[in-house]
Amino acid sequence: MEKADFTALAWLALIALVATGALLRVRPHERFTFLNTLWLFFLGIAGQATAVALLALDLPRASGTVHTVFRILTTVALIRLFGFVLFRLLLPLAGKRPTRIVEDLAIVLAYVGYGLVQLRGAGVDLGSLVTTSAILTAVIAFAMQDTLGNLLGGLAIQIDNTVQVGDWVSVDGVSGQVRDIRWRSTLIETRNWETVVIPNSQIMKGRVAILGKREGQPLQSRRSLRFMVDPQVPPARVIATATASRYQAKTA
């Protein structure tokens, strides 16, 4: 490894530290995800340093293998970290909040692109690889029909904006707010502090009611409150009491 390589790694390490610090400041509840990615990056750097040590011990083949493996590991960690910065830091600052499935898809495509570049650099014929991959994909698709149904359902939800993050929905008797739309499922948080995981294929096949939403109209919200009243109490008095309680709750 040349001096220029060490300089580039040092700059990348500094960038990774700054990016992780910014992510931790904005989204501290996801610190484990960010820190694990950062540790993966530094593991890749440590592995490349080990490759230099092996080269100094006159073990060129082992050094080359170790360097290649940990260089790929470092790049994978950087792609993941830059994806976090783009989708969880920069786009929210710009007022855009794409769902997790869009972020995951973009990162996976970046992984695939990097893998193809590495295979091309290694002299692999990408044409024959595509033919073999087509057969393998058909076998996997047949064996993972349910999983692919959920995945394609999540993509369909994103494409036509049927359900968006933040919508209040009712699905099979479960009412709550859409927290996230992922590869396999959609997360719905109820008013009872429960998070319900609903497969995307179920949302695509079933009936979903989007609460308080009508085309061209402002969002509305309504909540049902149950309380016991003596049948002898006049309805006008019940309405007046409920209205007064609502006014007091709003001004409190």
Side-chain angles (χ1 to χ4, degrees), residues 179-226:
R179 173 65 176 81
D180 199 1
I181 301 174
R182 300 182 176 178
W183 286 96
R184 190 187 66 85
S185 59
T186 297
L187 304 185
I188 297 178
E189 294 180 348
T190 69
R191 292 189 175 97
N192 296 326
W193 284 79
E194 299 170 340
T195 299
V196 181
V197 181
I198 300 180
N200 290 328
S201 60
Q202 182 176 341
I203 294 179
M204 295 301 298
K205 295 177 182 178
R207 178 180 297 177
V208 180
I210 303 178
L211 308 178
K213 188 175 183 180
R214 183 175 294 178
E215 187 70 25
Q217 300 294 328
L219 293 177
Q220 304 287 338
S221 63
R222 180 175 64 183
R223 179 180 295 186
S224 298
L225 299 177
R226 299 180 180 273

Short mmCIF file of all heavy atoms in Angstrom, two decimals, residues 179-226:
data_model
loop_
_atom_site.label_atom_id
_atom_site.label_comp_id
_atom_site.label_asym_id
_atom_site.label_seq_id
_atom_site.Cartn_x
_atom_site.Cartn_y
_atom_site.Cartn_z
N ARG A 179 -46.09 4.21 10.44
CA ARG A 179 -44.78 4.64 10.95
C ARG A 179 -43.69 4.46 9.90
O ARG A 179 -42.82 5.30 9.75
CB ARG A 179 -44.42 3.84 12.21
CG ARG A 179 -43.02 4.05 12.75
CD ARG A 179 -42.83 5.47 13.24
NE ARG A 179 -41.53 5.65 13.84
CZ ARG A 179 -40.42 5.87 13.15
NH1 ARG A 179 -40.46 5.96 11.83
NH2 ARG A 179 -39.26 6.04 13.76
N ASP A 180 -43.74 3.36 9.14
CA ASP A 180 -42.70 3.10 8.15
C ASP A 180 -43.21 2.05 7.18
O ASP A 180 -44.06 1.22 7.52
CB ASP A 180 -41.41 2.61 8.82
CG ASP A 180 -40.19 2.77 7.93
OD1 ASP A 180 -40.36 3.27 6.80
OD2 ASP A 180 -39.09 2.39 8.35
N ILE A 181 -42.69 2.10 5.96
CA ILE A 181 -43.00 1.09 4.93
C ILE A 181 -41.68 0.45 4.54
O ILE A 181 -40.82 1.12 3.95
CB ILE A 181 -43.69 1.73 3.71
CG1 ILE A 181 -44.98 2.42 4.12
CG2 ILE A 181 -43.98 0.67 2.65
CD1 ILE A 181 -45.65 3.19 3.01
N ARG A 182 -41.53 -0.82 4.86
CA ARG A 182 -40.27 -1.51 4.63
C ARG A 182 -40.41 -2.54 3.53
O ARG A 182 -41.46 -2.65 2.89
CB ARG A 182 -39.80 -2.16 5.94
CG ARG A 182 -39.58 -1.12 7.06
CD ARG A 182 -39.08 -1.74 8.33
NE ARG A 182 -38.79 -0.74 9.34
CZ ARG A 182 -38.36 -1.01 10.56
NH1 ARG A 182 -38.19 -2.28 10.94
NH2 ARG A 182 -38.11 -0.03 11.42
N TRP A 183 -39.32 -3.31 3.33
CA TRP A 183 -39.33 -4.31 2.27
C TRP A 183 -40.47 -5.31 2.44
O TRP A 183 -41.21 -5.59 1.51
CB TRP A 183 -38.01 -5.07 2.26
CG TRP A 183 -36.86 -4.30 1.72
CD1 TRP A 183 -35.94 -3.59 2.43
CD2 TRP A 183 -36.51 -4.14 0.34
NE1 TRP A 183 -35.04 -3.00 1.60
CE2 TRP A 183 -35.35 -3.33 0.31
CE3 TRP A 183 -37.05 -4.60 -0.85
CZ2 TRP A 183 -34.74 -2.98 -0.89
CZ3 TRP A 183 -36.44 -4.26 -2.03
CH2 TRP A 183 -35.29 -3.45 -2.04
N ARG A 184 -40.60 -5.85 3.64
CA ARG A 184 -41.53 -6.95 3.87
C ARG A 184 -42.86 -6.50 4.43
O ARG A 184 -43.89 -7.12 4.18
CB ARG A 184 -40.90 -7.97 4.83
CG ARG A 184 -41.68 -9.27 4.96
CD ARG A 184 -41.09 -10.16 6.05
NE ARG A 184 -41.25 -9.57 7.38
CZ ARG A 184 -42.34 -9.70 8.12
NH1 ARG A 184 -43.37 -10.37 7.66
NH2 ARG A 184 -42.41 -9.15 9.31
N SER A 185 -42.87 -5.43 5.18
CA SER A 185 -44.06 -5.09 5.94
C SER A 185 -44.20 -3.58 6.11
O SER A 185 -43.29 -2.81 5.82
CB SER A 185 -44.00 -5.75 7.32
OG SER A 185 -42.84 -5.32 8.03
N THR A 186 -45.38 -3.21 6.58
CA THR A 186 -45.69 -1.83 6.94
C THR A 186 -45.95 -1.77 8.44
O THR A 186 -46.68 -2.60 8.98
CB THR A 186 -46.93 -1.33 6.17
OG1 THR A 186 -46.64 -1.33 4.77
CG2 THR A 186 -47.30 0.08 6.59
N LEU A 187 -45.33 -0.79 9.11
CA LEU A 187 -45.48 -0.66 10.56
C LEU A 187 -46.56 0.37 10.86
O LEU A 187 -46.52 1.48 10.33
CB LEU A 187 -44.15 -0.22 11.20
CG LEU A 187 -42.93 -1.10 10.92
CD1 LEU A 187 -41.73 -0.61 11.72
CD2 LEU A 187 -43.22 -2.55 11.25
N ILE A 188 -47.50 -0.01 11.71
CA ILE A 188 -48.60 0.87 12.11
C ILE A 188 -48.58 1.00 13.63
O ILE A 188 -48.61 0.01 14.35
CB ILE A 188 -49.96 0.31 11.63
CG1 ILE A 188 -50.00 0.26 10.10
CG2 ILE A 188 -51.10 1.16 12.17
CD1 ILE A 188 -51.28 -0.31 9.54
N GLU A 189 -48.52 2.25 14.10
CA GLU A 189 -48.53 2.53 15.53
C GLU A 189 -49.95 2.91 15.93
O GLU A 189 -50.52 3.87 15.41
CB GLU A 189 -47.56 3.66 15.86
CG GLU A 189 -46.10 3.30 15.62
CD GLU A 189 -45.15 4.43 15.96
OE1 GLU A 189 -45.65 5.57 16.16
OE2 GLU A 189 -43.94 4.19 16.04
N THR A 190 -50.51 2.18 16.89
CA THR A 190 -51.87 2.44 17.35
C THR A 190 -51.86 3.44 18.50
O THR A 190 -50.81 3.78 19.05
CB THR A 190 -52.55 1.14 17.81
OG1 THR A 190 -51.92 0.69 19.02
CG2 THR A 190 -52.41 0.06 16.75
N ARG A 191 -53.05 3.89 18.90
CA ARG A 191 -53.17 4.82 20.02
C ARG A 191 -52.91 4.12 21.35
O ARG A 191 -52.77 4.79 22.38
CB ARG A 191 -54.56 5.46 20.02
CG ARG A 191 -54.81 6.40 18.84
CD ARG A 191 -56.12 7.15 19.04
NE ARG A 191 -56.34 8.13 17.98
CZ ARG A 191 -57.08 7.92 16.91
NH1 ARG A 191 -57.66 6.74 16.73
NH2 ARG A 191 -57.24 8.86 15.99
N ASN A 192 -52.88 2.81 21.35
CA ASN A 192 -52.61 2.06 22.58
C ASN A 192 -51.13 1.76 22.77
O ASN A 192 -50.77 0.87 23.52
CB ASN A 192 -53.40 0.74 22.58
CG ASN A 192 -54.89 0.97 22.58
OD1 ASN A 192 -55.38 1.92 23.18
ND2 ASN A 192 -55.63 0.10 21.91
N TRP A 193 -50.27 2.49 22.06
CA TRP A 193 -48.82 2.30 22.14
C TRP A 193 -48.43 0.89 21.71
O TRP A 193 -47.58 0.24 22.32
CB TRP A 193 -48.31 2.60 23.56
CG TRP A 193 -48.23 4.07 23.84
CD1 TRP A 193 -49.26 4.89 24.17
CD2 TRP A 193 -47.08 4.91 23.76
NE1 TRP A 193 -48.83 6.18 24.32
CE2 TRP A 193 -47.48 6.22 24.09
CE3 TRP A 193 -45.74 4.66 23.47
CZ2 TRP A 193 -46.60 7.29 24.11
CZ3 TRP A 193 -44.87 5.74 23.50
CH2 TRP A 193 -45.30 7.03 23.81
N GLU A 194 -49.05 0.44 20.64
CA GLU A 194 -48.69 -0.84 20.03
C GLU A 194 -48.19 -0.58 18.61
O GLU A 194 -48.69 0.31 17.93
CB GLU A 194 -49.90 -1.78 19.98
CG GLU A 194 -50.47 -2.13 21.35
CD GLU A 194 -51.79 -2.86 21.25
OE1 GLU A 194 -52.44 -2.78 20.19
OE2 GLU A 194 -52.17 -3.51 22.24
N THR A 195 -47.22 -1.37 18.18
CA THR A 195 -46.73 -1.31 16.81
C THR A 195 -47.11 -2.61 16.12
O THR A 195 -46.65 -3.69 16.50
CB THR A 195 -45.20 -1.13 16.76
OG1 THR A 195 -44.85 0.11 17.41
CG2 THR A 195 -44.71 -1.07 15.32
N VAL A 196 -47.98 -2.50 15.14
CA VAL A 196 -48.50 -3.67 14.43
C VAL A 196 -47.74 -3.81 13.11
O VAL A 196 -47.63 -2.84 12.35
CB VAL A 196 -50.01 -3.53 14.17
CG1 VAL A 196 -50.54 -4.77 13.46
CG2 VAL A 196 -50.75 -3.31 15.49
N VAL A 197 -47.23 -5.00 12.84
CA VAL A 197 -46.49 -5.29 11.61
C VAL A 197 -47.43 -6.01 10.65
O VAL A 197 -47.88 -7.12 10.94
CB VAL A 197 -45.24 -6.15 11.90
CG1 VAL A 197 -44.48 -6.41 10.61
CG2 VAL A 197 -44.35 -5.47 12.93
N ILE A 198 -47.73 -5.38 9.53
CA ILE A 198 -48.67 -5.94 8.55
C ILE A 198 -47.91 -6.21 7.25
O ILE A 198 -47.28 -5.31 6.70
CB ILE A 198 -49.84 -4.97 8.28
CG1 ILE A 198 -50.61 -4.72 9.59
CG2 ILE A 198 -50.77 -5.53 7.22
CD1 ILE A 198 -51.77 -3.77 9.43
N PRO A 199 -47.94 -7.45 6.74
CA PRO A 199 -47.26 -7.75 5.47
C PRO A 199 -47.78 -6.88 4.34
O PRO A 199 -48.99 -6.60 4.27
CB PRO A 199 -47.59 -9.23 5.24
CG PRO A 199 -47.92 -9.77 6.59
CD PRO A 199 -48.57 -8.64 7.34
N ASN A 200 -46.89 -6.45 3.48
CA ASN A 200 -47.28 -5.58 2.38
C ASN A 200 -48.27 -6.25 1.43
O ASN A 200 -49.15 -5.59 0.87
CB ASN A 200 -46.04 -5.13 1.59
CG ASN A 200 -45.19 -4.16 2.39
OD1 ASN A 200 -45.70 -3.38 3.18
ND2 ASN A 200 -43.88 -4.22 2.18
N SER A 201 -48.13 -7.56 1.23
CA SER A 201 -49.06 -8.26 0.34
C SER A 201 -50.47 -8.22 0.89
O SER A 201 -51.44 -8.17 0.13
CB SER A 201 -48.61 -9.71 0.16
OG SER A 201 -48.56 -10.40 1.41
N GLN A 202 -50.62 -8.21 2.22
CA GLN A 202 -51.94 -8.14 2.83
C GLN A 202 -52.58 -6.77 2.57
O GLN A 202 -53.79 -6.67 2.33
CB GLN A 202 -51.84 -8.39 4.33
CG GLN A 202 -53.18 -8.38 5.06
CD GLN A 202 -53.03 -8.73 6.53
OE1 GLN A 202 -52.04 -9.31 6.95
NE2 GLN A 202 -54.03 -8.36 7.32
N ILE A 203 -51.77 -5.73 2.59
CA ILE A 203 -52.30 -4.39 2.30
C ILE A 203 -52.72 -4.30 0.84
O ILE A 203 -53.74 -3.68 0.51
CB ILE A 203 -51.24 -3.33 2.63
CG1 ILE A 203 -50.98 -3.31 4.15
CG2 ILE A 203 -51.66 -1.95 2.15
CD1 ILE A 203 -49.93 -2.31 4.57
N MET A 204 -51.96 -4.92 -0.06
CA MET A 204 -52.29 -4.85 -1.48
C MET A 204 -53.55 -5.65 -1.80
O MET A 204 -54.33 -5.27 -2.68
CB MET A 204 -51.12 -5.37 -2.31
CG MET A 204 -49.86 -4.51 -2.22
SD MET A 204 -50.12 -2.82 -2.77
CE MET A 204 -50.58 -3.09 -4.49
N LYS A 205 -53.76 -6.77 -1.09
CA LYS A 205 -54.90 -7.64 -1.39
C LYS A 205 -56.17 -7.22 -0.65
O LYS A 205 -57.27 -7.43 -1.13
CB LYS A 205 -54.56 -9.09 -1.05
CG LYS A 205 -53.45 -9.69 -1.89
CD LYS A 205 -53.14 -11.10 -1.43
CE LYS A 205 -52.00 -11.71 -2.23
NZ LYS A 205 -51.66 -13.08 -1.75
N GLY A 206 -55.99 -6.67 0.56
CA GLY A 206 -57.15 -6.36 1.40
C GLY A 206 -57.66 -4.95 1.20
O GLY A 206 -57.23 -4.20 0.32
N ARG A 207 -58.61 -4.59 2.06
CA ARG A 207 -59.22 -3.26 2.02
C ARG A 207 -58.57 -2.39 3.09
O ARG A 207 -58.54 -2.76 4.26
CB ARG A 207 -60.72 -3.36 2.26
CG ARG A 207 -61.43 -2.01 2.27
CD ARG A 207 -62.90 -2.17 2.52
NE ARG A 207 -63.53 -2.92 1.43
CZ ARG A 207 -64.83 -3.24 1.41
NH1 ARG A 207 -65.61 -2.89 2.43
NH2 ARG A 207 -65.34 -3.92 0.40
N VAL A 208 -58.08 -1.24 2.69
CA VAL A 208 -57.42 -0.31 3.60
C VAL A 208 -58.19 1.01 3.60
O VAL A 208 -58.45 1.58 2.54
CB VAL A 208 -55.96 -0.05 3.18
CG1 VAL A 208 -55.29 0.93 4.14
CG2 VAL A 208 -55.18 -1.35 3.14
N ALA A 209 -58.59 1.46 4.79
CA ALA A 209 -59.27 2.74 4.93
C ALA A 209 -58.27 3.78 5.41
O ALA A 209 -57.64 3.61 6.45
CB ALA A 209 -60.42 2.63 5.92
N ILE A 210 -58.10 4.85 4.62
CA ILE A 210 -57.23 5.95 5.01
C ILE A 210 -58.09 6.98 5.73
O ILE A 210 -58.98 7.59 5.14
CB ILE A 210 -56.53 6.57 3.78
CG1 ILE A 210 -55.74 5.48 3.03
CG2 ILE A 210 -55.61 7.70 4.21
CD1 ILE A 210 -55.06 5.98 1.78
N LEU A 211 -57.86 7.16 7.01
CA LEU A 211 -58.73 7.95 7.87
C LEU A 211 -58.43 9.44 7.72
O LEU A 211 -57.28 9.85 7.68
CB LEU A 211 -58.56 7.52 9.33
CG LEU A 211 -58.69 6.01 9.59
CD1 LEU A 211 -58.46 5.72 11.05
CD2 LEU A 211 -60.07 5.52 9.15
N GLY A 212 -59.49 10.23 7.69
CA GLY A 212 -59.36 11.69 7.67
C GLY A 212 -58.76 12.26 6.40
O GLY A 212 -58.27 13.38 6.39
N LYS A 213 -58.81 11.50 5.30
CA LYS A 213 -58.18 11.96 4.06
C LYS A 213 -59.18 11.89 2.92
O LYS A 213 -59.76 10.84 2.67
CB LYS A 213 -56.95 11.11 3.75
CG LYS A 213 -56.11 11.61 2.59
CD LYS A 213 -54.85 10.77 2.44
CE LYS A 213 -53.96 11.29 1.34
NZ LYS A 213 -52.73 10.47 1.20
N ARG A 214 -59.34 13.01 2.23
CA ARG A 214 -60.22 13.07 1.08
C ARG A 214 -59.55 13.94 0.02
O ARG A 214 -58.94 14.95 0.35
CB ARG A 214 -61.59 13.64 1.46
CG ARG A 214 -62.59 13.68 0.33
CD ARG A 214 -63.94 14.14 0.81
NE ARG A 214 -64.54 13.17 1.72
CZ ARG A 214 -65.73 13.35 2.31
NH1 ARG A 214 -66.41 14.46 2.09
NH2 ARG A 214 -66.21 12.43 3.11
N GLU A 215 -59.66 13.54 -1.24
CA GLU A 215 -58.97 14.22 -2.32
C GLU A 215 -59.37 15.69 -2.39
O GLU A 215 -60.56 16.03 -2.46
CB GLU A 215 -59.28 13.53 -3.66
CG GLU A 215 -58.48 14.06 -4.83
CD GLU A 215 -57.01 13.68 -4.73
OE1 GLU A 215 -56.70 12.66 -4.08
OE2 GLU A 215 -56.18 14.41 -5.30
N GLY A 216 -58.36 16.57 -2.35
CA GLY A 216 -58.61 17.99 -2.48
C GLY A 216 -59.13 18.66 -1.23
O GLY A 216 -59.49 19.84 -1.27
N GLN A 217 -59.18 17.94 -0.11
CA GLN A 217 -59.70 18.49 1.13
C GLN A 217 -58.62 18.46 2.22
O GLN A 217 -57.71 17.61 2.17
CB GLN A 217 -60.93 17.70 1.61
CG GLN A 217 -62.08 17.69 0.62
CD GLN A 217 -62.69 19.06 0.43
OE1 GLN A 217 -62.71 19.88 1.36
NE2 GLN A 217 -63.16 19.35 -0.78
N PRO A 218 -58.69 19.36 3.20
CA PRO A 218 -57.70 19.33 4.28
C PRO A 218 -57.87 18.08 5.13
O PRO A 218 -58.96 17.51 5.21
CB PRO A 218 -58.01 20.61 5.08
CG PRO A 218 -59.44 20.92 4.76
CD PRO A 218 -59.64 20.48 3.33
N LEU A 219 -56.79 17.67 5.78
CA LEU A 219 -56.84 16.49 6.63
C LEU A 219 -57.74 16.73 7.83
O LEU A 219 -57.72 17.81 8.43
CB LEU A 219 -55.42 16.12 7.09
CG LEU A 219 -54.46 15.63 6.01
CD1 LEU A 219 -53.09 15.38 6.61
CD2 LEU A 219 -54.98 14.35 5.37
N GLN A 220 -58.51 15.74 8.17
CA GLN A 220 -59.40 15.79 9.31
C GLN A 220 -59.07 14.63 10.24
O GLN A 220 -58.48 13.63 9.83
CB GLN A 220 -60.87 15.69 8.88
CG GLN A 220 -61.29 16.74 7.87
CD GLN A 220 -61.42 18.11 8.48
OE1 GLN A 220 -61.60 18.25 9.70
NE2 GLN A 220 -61.33 19.16 7.66
N SER A 221 -59.45 14.77 11.49
CA SER A 221 -59.24 13.68 12.45
C SER A 221 -60.45 13.57 13.36
O SER A 221 -61.09 14.58 13.69
CB SER A 221 -57.98 13.92 13.29
OG SER A 221 -58.11 15.09 14.06
N ARG A 222 -60.77 12.36 13.75
CA ARG A 222 -61.90 12.13 14.63
C ARG A 222 -61.55 10.94 15.52
O ARG A 222 -60.97 9.95 15.08
CB ARG A 222 -63.17 11.83 13.83
CG ARG A 222 -64.39 11.58 14.72
CD ARG A 222 -65.64 11.42 13.88
NE ARG A 222 -65.56 10.25 13.03
CZ ARG A 222 -66.51 9.91 12.16
NH1 ARG A 222 -67.57 10.68 12.00
NH2 ARG A 222 -66.37 8.83 11.42
N ARG A 223 -61.90 11.08 16.80
CA ARG A 223 -61.63 10.02 17.76
C ARG A 223 -62.91 9.72 18.54
O ARG A 223 -63.61 10.64 18.98
CB ARG A 223 -60.52 10.42 18.73
CG ARG A 223 -60.21 9.35 19.77
CD ARG A 223 -59.12 9.77 20.72
NE ARG A 223 -57.85 9.92 20.03
CZ ARG A 223 -56.71 10.17 20.66
NH1 ARG A 223 -56.68 10.27 21.99
NH2 ARG A 223 -55.59 10.29 19.97
N SER A 224 -63.21 8.44 18.71
CA SER A 224 -64.39 8.02 19.45
C SER A 224 -64.04 7.87 20.93
O SER A 224 -63.06 7.20 21.28
CB SER A 224 -64.92 6.69 18.89
OG SER A 224 -65.31 6.83 17.54
N LEU A 225 -64.83 8.51 21.78
CA LEU A 225 -64.65 8.43 23.23
C LEU A 225 -65.92 7.82 23.83
O LEU A 225 -67.03 8.31 23.61
CB LEU A 225 -64.40 9.81 23.83
CG LEU A 225 -63.15 10.54 23.34
CD1 LEU A 225 -63.07 11.93 23.97
CD2 LEU A 225 -61.90 9.74 23.68
N ARG A 226 -65.75 6.76 24.58
CA ARG A 226 -66.88 6.08 25.20
C ARG A 226 -66.95 6.42 26.68
O ARG A 226 -65.93 6.41 27.37
CB ARG A 226 -66.75 4.56 25.02
CG ARG A 226 -66.74 4.11 23.55
CD ARG A 226 -66.61 2.61 23.43
NE ARG A 226 -66.60 2.19 22.04
CZ ARG A 226 -67.70 1.92 21.33
NH1 ARG A 226 -68.90 2.01 21.90
NH2 ARG A 226 -67.61 1.55 20.07
#
